[in-house]
Amino acid sequence: MSEVYEVKPDHRLRDERQLRSLFEPTHDLAVAKCQTQLGVHAQTFIKRSPFLCIGTQSADGRADVSPRGDPAGFVQILDPKTIVIPDRPGNNRLDTLSNIIANPAVGLLFIIPGFDDTLRVNGRAQLSTDPELLARMAVNGKVPKLAIVVAIDEVFLHCAKAFRRSHLWDPDHRQDRREMPSLMQFILEETGAAPDDLEDMRKLDEGLEQAYQRSMY
């Protein structure tokens, strides 16, 4: 794979009219299901969810998606139009947080293990260091440095097709993690810094696991 793929000009869609000409009209229910605030079922979904992905964009349009996870209910509902996400310790790249400062538009995808449906929430985010707000999200006595407060513009349940096509929760389709390098090995090999000695690599992997335990919150 030495050449960079480019879309052929004759096959590139250039406007929404071309795009929509390939599909049937949007189903009335797909339009009606989009709400501007959290209803009772959307609130229950969020309370049950231990995991979400948050999509952001920088000021120059560079897109990013980042995972967020905690025990179910970690995203708190402040009111039907507002939710808050604690920011737990990470790698300190701060991609999501920097993007929010530059461009507040965010897209959230809430996932519940075993559910094929997902909940999509779009809105505008701000970063808050309000001590009272952060204290509500403490874990093991550790308070997050900040929280992501999202003002909701759109919310709707997304259908199950993607999860069913992928067999995401099907035990028969689980893959063996040992068939690929560990996270540490993956990074070091890609950057040309992997040790030649397997024992040294094993110690690095163990060090990462120990770091996870120390810095989870």
Side-chain angles (χ1 to χ4, degrees):
M1 298 179 64
S2 59
E3 296 184 5
V4 177
Y5 178 81
E6 293 186 9
V7 176
K8 297 176 181 178
D10 290 346
H11 299 286
R12 179 184 172 189
L13 300 182
R14 300 180 183 278
D15 57 45
E16 188 172 348
R17 180 192 60 79
Q18 287 181 299
L19 169 64
R20 293 194 175 276
S21 70
L22 299 175
F23 299 89
E24 297 295 326
T26 304
H27 194 282
D28 291 343
L29 185 60
V31 176
K33 71 178 181 179
C34 186
Q35 302 295 304
T36 59
Q37 64 180 20
L38 299 172
V40 61
H41 299 305
Q43 292 188 37
T44 301
F45 198 104
I46 290 174
K47 291 174 182 177
R48 296 176 66 115
S49 174
F51 184 84
L52 65 85
C53 292
I54 178 170
T56 59
Q57 282 195 328
S58 64
D60 59 3
R62 179 179 54 82
D64 181 76
V65 178
S66 177
R68 292 289 190 273
D70 246 335
F74 76 104
V75 175
Q76 297 190 16
I77 300 168
L78 302 183
D79 58 63
K81 291 282 293 182
T82 316
I83 58 176
V84 58
I85 307 165
D87 184 63
R88 304 300 185 193
N91 56 21
N92 291 332
R93 283 179 54 98
L94 308 183
D95 295 320
T96 296
L97 305 180
S98 297
N99 285 351
I100 287 172
I101 290 175
N103 181 348
V106 297
L108 308 176
L109 184 70
F110 287 90
I111 296 172
I112 300 175
F115 281 40
D116 288 339
D117 338 85
T118 53
L119 186 74
R120 291 172 57 178
V121 174
N122 299 320
R124 293 154 289 111
Q126 300 180 71
L127 307 181
S128 173
T129 58
D130 181 347
E132 182 178 344
L133 189 62
L134 299 181
R136 296 171 49 169
M137 297 180 285
V139 174
N140 299 332
K142 296 184 178 181
V143 177
K145 293 181 183 295
L146 58 85
I148 302 171
V149 180
V150 179
I152 294 169
D153 293 327
E154 296 179 309
V155 55
F156 56 93
L157 200 64
H158 193 93
C159 77
K161 289 181 180 178
F163 277 57
R164 293 188 180 179
R165 283 191 290 249
S166 66
H167 300 280
L168 189 65
W169 308 124
D170 187 342
D172 292 336
H173 287 261
R174 294 196 67 174
Q175 299 186 32
D176 188 345
R177 180 62 182 85
R178 295 169 297 181
E179 293 178 356
M180 284 194 67
S182 66
L183 171 64
M184 183 64 74
Q185 184 178 352
F186 189 108
I187 294 172
L188 293 179
E189 287 186 354
E190 291 287 340
T191 58
D196 295 325
D197 189 278
L198 294 179
E199 179 63 18
D200 289 341
M201 190 69 249
R202 185 187 65 78
K203 291 179 180 178
L204 290 171
D205 287 334
E206 289 181 353
L208 178 60
E209 286 299 321
Q210 293 169 6
Y212 280 151
Q213 299 304 316
R214 293 193 305 270
S215 62
M216 198 67 71
Y217 290 100

